[in-house]
Amino acid sequence: MAVVNFTQNEEIGRLVPFRNAQDARTQAFAFGNSLNLVAGTVVGQVTATKKLKAYASGNSDGSEIPIGVLEYDVVTNATGKVQGYVGERLDYAFEHSSVFLVGEFKVSELTGLDANAITKLGRVFNSGTEGVLRMIR
């Protein structure tokens, strides 16, 4: 899969690994229709469509299994195109966005993280006063 290269712009949020950024790994995925997710959201993959949406342990469509954490904010239109900048113009021009599959992230910067997600993705440890999720594959 091709990796999405957004034009850097302060309007698109981005999650940065807590430490050891060189060891973090991402993969590009397609997303469901009409989503508005912030960077750091735990995501799952819908079995029928293979597209991602926000993880929730109570779901029963496949997205109840967390697979990673969003690197960038993701806003999709009615057809699942991901919003991003093409030069200076904001447009729904991308088929995919990147998801962290491996890395270390501050728990306080993650959305939708629960005990089940921690068990499936890795483990949480304390680094000083900060809880950190370590995702390992």
Side-chain angles (χ1 to χ4, degrees), residues 4-106:
V4 174
N5 290 314
F6 285 111
T7 301
Q8 289 301 312
N9 187 297
E10 64 276 358
E11 293 179 30
I12 296 178
R14 181 173 185 234
L15 178 67
V16 177
F18 171 65
R19 64 179 180 193
N20 301 320
Q22 71 280 0
D23 297 331
R25 298 290 176 261
T26 62
Q27 183 174 331
F29 287 93
F31 287 80
N33 303 344
S34 304
L35 298 175
N36 189 348
L37 306 172
V38 297
T41 298
V42 178
V43 292
Q45 190 171 45
V46 176
T47 305
T49 64
K50 304 297 185 214
K51 293 184 176 185
L52 301 191
K53 70 178 197 178
Y55 152 83
S57 61
N59 290 348
S60 60
D61 59 2
S63 66
E64 71 276 12
I65 301 168
I67 64 162
V69 177
L70 288 181
E71 180 177 8
Y72 294 99
D73 291 347
V74 168
V75 177
T76 62
N77 65 11
T79 63
K81 293 275 191 173
V82 178
Q83 186 180 60
Y85 282 87
V86 179
E88 297 295 316
R89 182 175 50 90
L90 186 61
D91 197 0
Y92 291 96
F94 300 96
E95 297 291 331
H96 303 92
S97 190
S98 59
V99 173
F100 283 108
L101 303 178
V102 174
E104 294 183 8
F105 305 93
K106 292 180 182 178

